[in-house]
Amino acid sequence: MYAILQDLLRNKACQAITLEDPIEKRMDNLLQVQVNEKAGLTYQAGLKAALRHDPDVLMIGEIRDESTASFAFETARTGHLVISTLHARNAAGAIHRLQEMGIPLADLQHTLIGIASLELLPIQQPYPSRAAIMELANANQIHRLLQNSTSSFLTFAELRRKAYAYGFVKEEIDYNQKDSQAIIYGAANTVSQTAP
């Protein structure tokens, strides 16, 4: 998310505000607000205060509940670019999580413009480490997912097979096995904005 914000601020003059818990990376040229629920500064209170400044871009550290999800989509409907994360297994799962949080299908269709879902994969070359693979869905691909069509982007299963074919992993990894699920971390970055 920070890379997206940095790129936006470098290429376009815009006002950006972040709401984070905690602030993970200090950045210049934007207002960063630390959410502190014990002190009464919730995501909802921070969102209301941030909108009074009429930012072009609003980054929400994480959509954790229905009220934050609802507020994020209300903000996107008013023309603000909203960037956030939520926990999901993959890009399609991000859509399902938002629906579980009560976001209407019409809001998803009209405001969701991108989803990037990351998964860490243990690799062997050039040395043992981990690398991120990413499912990336643009607005058209999201519309296909919302219509219950098949995905037109590379899924994690396809990306893992490619990593195996290129020799980055020693064996094909099947994360659908129950014992492997503990090492999966999925965070889907969602980008919402009313279409121009």
Side-chain angles (χ1 to χ4, degrees), residues 42 53 64 71 75 100 103-104 109 119 141 153 160 162 165 168 171 178 180 190-191:
T42 63
H53 296 279
R64 297 179 181 167
F71 206 98
T75 302
E100 286 174 356
I103 303 301
Q109 290 171 329
E119 179 177 289
Q141 294 161 331
F153 53 87
R160 287 190 296 268
K162 274 190 161 192
F168 289 108
E171 58 186 54
K178 202 172 194 178
S180 299
T190 60
V191 182

Side-chain angles (χ1 to χ4, degrees), residues 41-98:
L41 183 55
T42 63
Y43 274 110
Q44 290 74 26
L47 287 166
K48 287 178 185 175
L51 287 179
R52 288 187 198 112
H53 296 279
D54 194 29
D56 301 302
V57 181
L58 181 63
M59 185 185 95
I60 302 169
E62 182 181 350
I63 295 176
R64 297 179 181 167
D65 54 39
E66 291 178 10
S67 59
T68 305
S70 176
F71 206 98
F73 276 83
E74 286 175 31
T75 302
R77 280 196 312 268
T78 61
H80 299 84
L81 177 63
V82 177
I83 304 168
S84 188
T85 64
L86 73 140
H87 289 277
R89 287 186 60 120
N90 52 35
I95 291 171
H96 294 294
R97 287 275 293 128
L98 291 167

Side-chain angles (χ1 to χ4, degrees), residues 66-175:
E66 291 178 10
S67 59
T68 305
S70 176
F71 206 98
F73 276 83
E74 286 175 31
T75 302
R77 280 196 312 268
T78 61
H80 299 84
L81 177 63
V82 177
I83 304 168
S84 188
T85 64
L86 73 140
H87 289 277
R89 287 186 60 120
N90 52 35
I95 291 171
H96 294 294
R97 287 275 293 128
L98 291 167
Q99 288 175 321
E100 286 174 356
M101 291 183 190
I103 303 301
L105 181 62
D107 283 354
L108 294 172
Q109 290 171 329
H110 295 289
T111 60
L112 201 57
I113 61 172
I115 299 174
S117 185
L118 304 173
E119 179 177 289
L120 294 177
L121 184 67
I123 61 170
Q124 302 301 317
Q125 292 184 4
Y127 50 87
S129 62
R130 295 188 308 173
I133 56 176
M134 177 173 30
E135 289 183 345
L136 187 59
N138 63 28
N140 291 332
Q141 294 161 331
I142 291 168
H143 286 288
R144 284 190 205 115
L145 283 173
L146 290 170
Q147 296 168 355
N148 295 321
S149 300
T150 58
S151 64
S152 60
F153 53 87
L154 290 175
T155 65
F156 285 140
E158 293 164 326
L159 292 166
R160 287 190 296 268
R161 282 195 294 275
K162 274 190 161 192
Y164 173 68
Y166 285 113
F168 289 108
V169 294
K170 288 185 178 180
E171 58 186 54
E172 221 167 326
I173 302 168
D174 181 11
Y175 283 112

Side-chain angles (χ1 to χ4, degrees), residues 18-24 26 32-36 41:
T18 71
L19 294 169
E20 306 172 69
D21 183 19
I23 294 174
E24 295 179 18
R26 296 279 177 195
Q32 292 179 279
V33 178
Q34 168 81 40
V35 172
N36 185 343
L41 183 55

